[in-house]
Amino acid sequence: MARSAPAPAAGRAPATPLPSLRQLRYLTVLAEKLNFRAAAEACFVTQSTLSAGIQELERTLGTQLVERDKRSVRLTAAGEEVTARARRLLSEAADLVEIARAARAPLTGSFRLGAIPTIAPFVLPRVLPRIRARHPGLKLFLREDLTERLLEQLRAGELDAALIALPYDTAELEVRKLARDDFHFVARKDHPLAALKSVPVERLDPAEVILLEEGHCLREHAIEACSRIKRPHEAIRHGPRIEATSLPTLLQMVEGGLGVTLLPETALKADLLQGTGLVARPFSSRVPARTLALAARPSSARGRDLDLLADFLKRS
């Protein structure tokens, strides 16, 4: 007579099989690459290993996550949802590891810091040598990118913190405000407003202002500054204008007489205008400004490290 399987203990439900972190990693990378060979290379495994891992994950969850054919790979609706949750789980797992590391000593080991292009070259060169001198065990990895992409990487656990400028929608992230960064009027020396010691913001002509291209938060901050002018600021948002891809290009356009611009004080203190024929003047009324801030995940285990880093940035 066959022996029956033992019944689960009274009051205890059978354990639900759970996916492994490795399988979730395979899925998130495949969702990014949408190619099994490229995903396998990124995960440093063979294509058959990655494919088997995805299939096992689908069996464990009891649903199809990936649609495959000879020409393409795409996620199912369930695959999209599972991938989004997998990214959060992997991020929290990485934070768990950092809890143990951070318990040893502050600002040691690897720290991945993102920074936007209108802050990184002006602030970090003054701060990083001091941090390295105080914390020689810190291995800092820097990534410069636009705000939106940095915050995406931060939420996905690819960064430990991001140095950004507010106002910006940081949603569920934890933000440490660092310092106010006033904007200044920048133009050629022969511009009528350049003769003033300080410029009333009301005298700024929105149609003259040259902006960075879409995606740079400095662009939105300039638009916000022009919204303080009594005249409608739609001219700067929708009317004819010139856009620059970077700050050096922006300065070349202003120097060429194509318009004026607004620059933050951090950039000016880093001698950004040195060697140009441009001058900067402070605003005398309703001074526009941005706020430098350090963004991180609320679940991050590096709270003490973030506080120390924020302190260094504030003092600089």
Side-chain angles (χ1 to χ4, degrees):
M1 183 173 182
R3 182 179 297 177
S4 60
R12 182 184 300 173
T16 301
L18 297 175
S20 68
L21 294 178
R22 181 179 290 107
Q23 292 167 347
L24 296 180
R25 168 69 175 160
Y26 289 168
L27 178 65
T28 58
V29 175
L30 182 61
E32 178 186 343
K33 304 291 185 182
L34 292 179
N35 180 286
F36 273 88
R37 185 180 65 181
E41 290 175 352
C43 292
F44 302 101
V45 297
T46 64
Q47 186 171 331
S48 60
T49 297
L50 184 130
S51 181
I54 296 293
Q55 291 173 0
E56 180 61 29
L57 177 61
E58 290 176 323
R59 284 195 293 270
T60 299
L61 298 179
T63 187
Q64 184 178 359
L65 304 175
V66 180
E67 295 181 18
R68 321 160 175 82
D69 58 38
K70 292 182 179 179
R71 290 178 298 179
S72 64
V73 175
R74 54 192 172 275
L75 298 179
T76 64
E80 295 279 2
E81 176 65 21
V82 171
T83 299
R85 292 176 179 267
R87 288 194 177 104
R88 291 197 291 270
L89 285 171
L90 290 169
S91 173
E92 291 181 4
D95 288 341
L96 183 147
V97 173
E98 291 300 333
I99 289 176
R101 290 181 179 173
R104 296 197 301 266
L107 285 178
T108 56
S110 299
F111 192 97
R112 301 157 299 173
L113 177 65
I116 60 175
T118 57
I119 293 180
F122 312 122
V123 174
L124 295 182
R126 298 202 302 268
V127 179
L128 297 187
R130 303 176 190 175
I131 296 178
R132 289 196 184 102
R134 180 73 68 87
H135 301 280
L138 178 67
K139 295 180 180 179
L140 193 61
F141 296 90
L142 297 176
R143 181 174 299 170
E144 185 178 291
D145 210 334
L146 300 181
T147 309
E148 181 179 3
R149 291 201 285 265
L150 288 179
L151 296 188
E152 287 175 359
Q153 295 164 25
L154 183 59
R155 293 185 180 104
E158 298 171 15
L159 293 174
D160 294 306
L163 185 56
I164 62 171
L166 305 177
Y168 200 90
D169 181 15
T170 54
E172 76 285 0
L173 295 172
E174 183 178 278
V175 174
R176 291 164 171 80
K177 293 183 179 179
L178 305 174
R180 174 186 168 98
D181 193 12
D182 289 346
F183 280 94
H184 290 242
F185 172 81
V186 175
R188 287 178 20 155
K189 294 178 182 178
D190 58 359
H191 191 279
L193 294 181
L196 303 176
K197 290 184 177 180
S198 59
V199 177
V201 73
E202 296 83 1
R203 293 190 60 180
L204 191 64
D205 182 358
E208 269 197 303
V209 178
I210 300 177
L211 303 174
L212 288 174
E213 65 181 356
E214 197 82 39
H216 288 271
C217 63
L218 189 60
R219 166 198 176 91
E220 298 304 319
H221 297 152
I223 291 175
E224 173 62 25
C226 289
S227 71
R228 302 172 180 227
I229 304 170
K230 292 180 181 178
R231 287 166 289 174
H233 68 285
E234 298 306 314
I236 194 171
R237 187 183 293 274
H238 301 298
R241 61 179 184 271
I242 302 173
E243 295 181 344
T245 57
S246 66
L247 282 179
T249 302
L250 179 64
L251 295 183
Q252 289 173 6
M253 290 180 172
V254 175
E255 196 168 14
L258 299 178
V260 302
T261 195
L262 280 68
L263 287 181
E265 189 171 4
T266 49
L268 297 174
K269 285 186 174 180
D271 296 327
L272 185 63
L273 299 187
Q274 187 174 9
T276 72
L278 305 177
V279 295
R281 298 288 182 260
F283 286 101
S284 60
S285 59
R286 293 186 289 174
V287 179
R290 63 180 184 173
T291 299
L292 306 188
L294 194 65
R297 296 182 301 280
S299 63
S300 174
R302 310 200 69 161
R304 183 168 52 161
D305 289 347
L306 292 165
D307 289 339
L308 286 171
L309 183 58
D311 189 50
F312 270 109
L313 291 166
K314 284 180 182 178
R315 292 203 303 264
S316 67

